[in-house]
Amino acid sequence: MEQQSPDPARLRAEHDALARRVAGVRQLLEPAAPNPRRVLGRLRALRVALAEHLAHEDSELYPQLVGGADPAAAAIGMHLRCEYDYLTGDWNLYLLHWRPARIAADWAGFVEDSRAMMARLDARIARENALLYPLLVAC
């Protein structure tokens, strides 16, 4: 299969959409009266969008950076790829842990974990926008 060239504009647009989905999840964590079903719907939508975006990065972006001629860009790409793997693992554990029954039984714990995970996703999006995507333009 031929490797596709990354499209920084598309990847940034995906980031913008992901940031809106993260904000939508965060918004549902505020009410005192929990609505686990609604939160799970937003988490599912975020999970799907995130999986699609990560597939694009994994198949297009990282191979170009890591396999490119610029050793500094390759090092940054490898470092960010390792961070990506770690965050992806934590994201998957978060999704496995917080099933509907557990959310209903421990809303406060879910809110605490969810706020932390949403903050990590926001930070990763900002980090990629600041470090990773400018490298694509330079390559």
Side-chain angles (χ1 to χ4, degrees):
M1 186 166 111
E2 187 178 320
Q3 182 180 322
Q4 220 179 335
S5 251
D7 178 357
R10 187 196 74 226
L11 293 170
R12 280 189 187 272
E14 289 175 3
H15 271 186
D16 292 344
L18 287 170
R20 285 190 301 276
R21 290 191 185 282
V22 167
V25 170
R26 188 179 288 115
Q27 184 179 42
L28 293 178
L29 302 174
E30 297 302 325
N35 189 338
R37 187 176 301 265
R38 195 161 176 215
V39 172
L40 283 169
R42 292 231 178 133
L43 279 175
R44 275 188 214 99
L46 175 58
R47 178 182 48 82
V48 168
L50 189 56
E52 289 173 0
H53 176 71
L54 294 177
H56 291 149
E57 286 186 346
D58 211 22
S59 67
E60 301 168 16
L61 185 140
Y62 288 108
Q64 179 175 328
L65 287 177
V66 173
D70 182 352
I76 291 170
M78 286 189 301
H79 180 77
L80 290 175
R81 178 68 171 99
C82 289
E83 286 180 1
Y84 152 101
D85 287 339
Y86 184 71
L87 179 58
T88 300
D90 287 351
W91 169 248
N92 289 328
L93 289 173
Y94 163 84
L95 292 173
L96 287 171
H97 180 77
W98 290 109
R99 299 295 192 183
R102 183 169 277 157
I103 292 170
D106 185 10
W107 179 254
F110 171 72
V111 167
E112 182 179 340
D113 281 0
S114 296
R115 285 183 178 149
M117 182 55 68
M118 297 308 115
R120 288 181 67 194
L121 291 173
D122 276 337
R124 178 58 188 212
I125 289 168
R127 189 161 163 73
E128 286 183 4
N129 285 342
L131 289 177
L132 203 55
Y133 295 166
L135 288 175
L136 286 179
V137 175
C139 288

